[in-house]
Amino acid sequence: WAGAWVNSLFRSEGAGVASELILQAIAATRSIWTPPELGIVSFVDPKHVSPVIRRGKKIYGYCYLMAGFTHTGFTKGGLWAWI
């Protein structure tokens, strides 16, 4: 994911629907800067979040899926990568 911006600051603490907060943050960012061609990548640690079960599979970072991100794989350390 070299060349993408890394989202390392998001954490939902109950201030609203997480996917909506992500979309608002992306809109605010894009109003000031133009993201690189690879976009923004976010990593989710399954040790620290609860999964959402969808069609029998555990999804860590479901809020990113709902915000339009695509699960693109895993890091060597087992983090879920969303871009």
Side-chain angles (χ1 to χ4, degrees):
W1 299 284
W5 284 346
V6 177
N7 168 26
S8 58
L9 300 174
F10 181 75
R11 177 185 168 122
S12 176
E13 295 186 345
V17 177
S19 58
E20 286 297 319
L21 295 173
I22 292 167
L23 289 172
Q24 290 173 9
I26 290 171
T29 301
R30 286 185 165 181
S31 74
I32 299 170
W33 299 286
T34 301
E37 198 171 306
L38 289 178
I40 302 169
V41 64
S42 295
F43 300 102
V44 177
D45 190 340
K47 296 178 204 161
H48 298 286
V49 298
S50 299
V52 169
I53 298 176
R54 184 172 177 211
R55 297 186 178 129
K57 293 184 179 181
K58 292 181 180 179
I59 300 176
Y60 294 90
Y62 186 74
C63 58
Y64 287 102
L65 179 65
M66 298 311 301
F69 281 63
T70 302
H71 179 241
T72 57
F74 301 92
T75 66
K76 289 180 183 178
L79 302 179
W80 285 54
W82 295 90
I83 195 161

